Amino acid sequence: MSELTIASHDESEDRPIKPAILNGMRLKCPRCGEGKLLHSYIKVNDECSSCGLDLSHQRADDGPAYLTILIVGHLMGFALHIAWVTWRPEPWVLALSMSVIAVVGALALLPVMKGLIVGYQWAKRMHGF
């Protein structure tokens, strides 16, 4: 980003919620959409490498895990019902396959939910943003 664009980010700026959340879900900075949000699996960078936004104020805590369990749990409920009614697999096959799908789904969705919450917090000026 140019110096003029960075300097224009002040306390009175408008922070539209939809782009911030979408940027967060893409695991990018909620303000500029360019810098990486996470530097490990779900550890948030202290600041954006592109625009310099201080991200150390984020307080996602257990929110991403809760949302992940909520979404994956509901999807797995439907998947379990459909698989049982359609194919009637052996119980151990059903349990093993659904467990693998649930774990993979949760691991894939957890960073996305972390980005969603950090983007929401930034847009709503929560926790010092």
Side-chain angles (χ1 to χ4, degrees):
M1 294 183 74
S2 68
E3 292 298 322
L4 179 61
T5 308
I6 293 172
S8 68
H9 295 297
D10 60 5
E11 297 304 315
S12 64
E13 74 177 316
D14 183 36
R15 294 183 180 179
I17 193 166
K18 186 176 179 181
I21 288 176
L22 291 176
N23 285 337
M25 291 177 74
R26 289 181 24 239
L27 306 180
K28 299 294 184 182
C29 171
R31 179 165 72 184
C32 69
E34 295 176 15
K36 292 177 75 173
L37 185 63
L38 306 176
H39 69 270
S40 185
Y41 177 58
I42 56 171
K43 292 190 187 255
V44 178
N45 287 324
D46 288 333
E47 67 178 31
C48 175
S49 59
S50 182
C51 70
L53 174 66
D54 183 15
L55 296 166
S56 64
H57 301 293
Q58 68 82 25
R59 303 286 304 161
D61 298 331
D62 292 337
Y66 176 79
L67 290 175
T68 299
I69 291 169
L70 183 73
I71 293 169
V72 171
H74 279 82
L75 293 176
M76 292 308 298
F78 290 118
L80 180 64
H81 175 74
I82 291 169
W84 181 255
V85 169
T86 305
W87 298 296
R88 294 281 179 176
E90 291 292 323
W92 68 271
V93 172
L94 186 63
L96 184 65
S97 61
M98 290 297 155
S99 296
V100 169
I101 293 169
V103 168
V104 170
L107 291 175
L109 195 57
L110 188 58
V112 175
M113 293 295 105
K114 179 89 170 209
L116 180 145
I117 289 182
V118 171
Y120 180 81
Q121 288 176 348
W122 177 80
K124 292 294 187 178
R125 301 178 190 273
M126 298 169 71
H127 307 296
F129 274 121

